[in-house]
Amino acid sequence: MSAASQARRLNHDLEIVAFERGTYVSYSACGEPYYIGGLVDSLDRLVARTPEQFAERNIEVHTRHEVTAIDLSRREVTVVDLGANSSRTIGFDHLMVATGSRPLRPSYIEGVNLPGVVGLRTLEDAAAVKRLIDDDVKRVLVLGGGYIGIEVAEALVDRGIEVILVTSGKHVLERTLDDAMGALVDEAVRSHGVELHTGLRVQCIQGTDRATGIGCDEIEFSADLIVIGLGAGPETELAKAAGIPLGGSGAIAVDEYQRTGVEGVWSAGDCAEVRHRVTGNAVNVPLGTVANKTGRIAGTNIAATIKGTDLKPFPGAIGTAITKIGDTEIARTGLKVEQSGEAGFTPVVGAATGTTTAGYWPTAKRMDLMVIADQPTGRVLGGQIVGGPGAGKKIDVIATAIWNGMTAEELSWVDLAYAPPFSGVWDLVHIAARRAAER
């Protein structure tokens, strides 16, 4: 919908039609755990724009309509009205494929599709999970230690529900944090009241008519509800069946203008690849920030193509992300140490432990911060933060340094704001960057 909105801003004469198989469009999926936890009191609070609001801007939105086929030669799509159970075809001059991602439900887990095993993707999912939670659920098993897993675990504990979190990784957030930082997050998860089990690969969900827990081998936990948070993959079946090329990541391959390999067909968001600004590689980065930005670029370039004006490239992504568990904030950007080596860099790490404010300030909390740099060039490659309130958003300083190709030495001298309620006179970003520069 960011593509539709931007195309409309730039060209008032376009006929823009959007099909969505769910009930809602233009909403914050990232807010779903907080709705389940009761911090957000209504699903409507998570909706940015309704179909009616889009209609006021002359964007025609059809909810509960699923596109089931794309015919590139005839330049048309087949769409099913799920309410009326009828189908029709509609032609297009330009097609925007923004099918997003799908939660992973690995087939190797026996019983993964039993009732009582739920995932989070759409607002409908969030509503269904909340109804189940409200229905006298006392113990929940969360499978997966990614962002969704720990955010759901936090929300449920805050509601007084017993939570067991199981992940196959050495620590939670294993794909995004290096081991030392991940171990700190494990400690925070347990301190918040979550029973955490790492290094366990679930093979079986128990139950006959409904899931009652996990079993098989030496692992056995009972639960009233099981939440799947095992990650997500790009939703590309429709594109693949139509012959729209996929990239090495499994997502739809696009160029810097969000064009696919098919004339007049565009893609953006979780289903599409982007260029990693550090490595230059095509990757899939399923984040809301990236989805909104790439959607805006696609809309800009659809309008520009029709007008015959210059296209605008998407400048890339570095995977900056932030979350929390209780009072502990977790943030990361750029590459991990291992990823840096795999990309051909020679990584060095500058690590620092301090406090979120001046050490003597009454609200000072521990903060750990690391800066990863390339040894031959000094270029900043990545950064990670785990700390108390106020720690997480410092990641934006490191992200800005990576974005602009700064060295660790340059970052160590950036003129950052100082006052005792906010940091020490040498910010922890300075200290970690200096240590990386010294290496």
Side-chain angles (χ1 to χ4, degrees):
M1 298 313 297
S2 62
S5 295
Q6 181 67 356
R8 170 59 70 231
R9 290 185 194 101
L10 298 175
N11 190 327
H12 297 293
D13 298 325
L14 293 178
E15 179 186 1
I16 303 176
V17 183
F19 294 109
E20 163 59 41
R21 66 183 174 191
T23 307
Y24 300 91
V25 295
S26 194
Y27 59 86
S28 173
C30 298
E32 291 174 8
Y34 306 109
Y35 168 72
I36 292 169
L39 289 174
V40 178
D41 58 10
S42 168
L43 277 181
D44 292 337
R45 297 282 301 277
L46 299 180
V47 176
R49 286 195 182 94
T50 64
E52 292 76 19
Q53 289 171 315
F54 279 111
E56 292 172 0
R57 305 183 65 187
N58 198 23
I59 297 173
E60 183 182 331
V61 176
H62 298 270
T63 58
R64 299 284 295 148
H65 281 66
E66 181 175 5
V67 173
T68 57
I70 300 169
D71 189 325
L72 296 175
S73 61
R74 296 174 65 89
R75 311 291 284 180
E76 64 184 22
V77 300
T78 301
V79 59
V80 175
D81 181 335
L82 299 177
N85 195 27
S86 60
S87 67
R88 64 185 173 110
T89 59
I90 181 171
F92 62 84
D93 298 306
H94 289 266
L95 176 69
M96 172 69 181
V97 181
T99 43
S101 60
R102 51 180 171 75
L104 299 180
R105 289 202 176 208
S107 58
Y108 66 77
I109 301 180
E110 182 184 341
V112 73
N113 293 314
L114 279 170
V117 180
V118 297
L120 276 183
R121 180 182 184 272
T122 65
L123 291 192
E124 291 91 344
D125 293 336
V129 172
K130 190 171 188 299
R131 283 194 298 269
L132 291 168
I133 295 296
D134 291 342
D135 189 23
D136 200 32
V137 165
K138 292 183 171 55
R139 194 181 207 212
V140 173
L141 183 63
V142 178
L143 302 187
Y147 295 114
I148 289 293
I150 64 174
E151 288 167 3
V152 169
E154 176 193 40
L156 296 178
V157 167
D158 289 347
R159 289 193 53 175
I161 294 170
E162 182 183 354
V163 177
I164 301 171
L165 193 154
V166 176
T167 177
S168 61
K170 291 181 290 185
H171 54 78
V172 297
L173 298 176
E174 184 180 43
R175 294 181 182 177
T176 56
L177 295 180
D178 285 295
D179 291 348
M181 303 299 273
L184 294 173
V185 182
D186 285 354
E187 181 181 333
V189 169
R190 293 188 172 104
S191 296
H192 196 66
V194 178
E195 183 181 331
L196 173 63
H197 297 269
T198 60
L200 296 180
R201 186 178 174 89
V202 175
Q203 300 285 343
C204 172
I205 294 175
Q206 296 176 324
T208 304
D209 299 321
R210 182 180 177 82
T212 58
I214 61 173
C216 313
D217 303 328
E218 76 284 0
I219 312 167
E220 188 166 348
F221 299 114
S222 63
D224 302 313
L225 184 69
I226 297 176
V227 178
I228 295 280
L230 296 172
E235 183 75 82
T236 58
E237 286 81 0
L238 190 64
K240 183 178 180 181
I244 298 171
L246 306 184
S249 71
I252 297 171
V254 294
D255 65 11
E256 66 268 36
Y257 305 110
Q258 305 305 135
R259 298 179 297 195
T260 69
V262 180
E263 182 70 26
V265 179
W266 311 72
S267 187
D270 289 3
C271 65
E273 292 186 331
V274 295
R275 180 181 66 86
H276 197 288
R277 195 171 172 90
V278 177
T279 67
N281 296 332
V283 293
N284 183 230
V285 183
L287 293 172
T289 49
V290 176
N292 272 274
K293 292 171 185 174
T294 53
R296 185 181 180 91
I297 289 292
T300 297
N301 291 332
I302 290 170
T305 298
I306 293 168
K307 286 184 177 181
T309 55
D310 291 341
L311 304 187
K312 183 175 182 177
F314 178 65
I318 56 176
T320 307
I322 188 169
T323 190
K324 64 181 280 293
I325 177 79
D327 288 335
T328 300
E329 299 177 0
I330 307 115
R332 58 92 57 208
T333 187
L335 302 177
K336 293 171 51 180
V337 173
E338 182 181 5
Q339 293 168 335
S340 300
E342 291 172 349
F345 298 105
T346 305
V348 295
V349 175
T353 298
T355 52
T356 53
T357 64
Y360 55 79
W361 194 257
T363 60
K365 300 294 182 184
R366 174 173 167 164
M367 175 169 60
D368 291 82
L369 189 149
M370 62 185 287
V371 170
I372 303 163
D374 181 38
Q375 194 277 328
T377 64
R379 178 185 177 187
V380 180
L381 303 175
Q384 297 166 34
I385 299 173
V386 178
K393 285 295 282 181
K394 289 182 181 290
I395 202 69
D396 291 338
V397 176
I398 304 173
T400 302
I402 297 171
W403 190 263
N404 289 290
M406 292 174 64
T407 66
E409 174 72 15
E410 290 170 330
L411 178 57
S412 72
W413 291 105
V414 169
D415 190 5
L416 301 179
Y418 158 69
F422 304 101
S423 73
V425 65
W426 287 98
D427 194 286
L428 219 60
V429 171
H430 288 137
I431 296 171
R434 183 172 69 240
R435 290 176 180 171
E438 289 169 350
R439 290 190 163 199

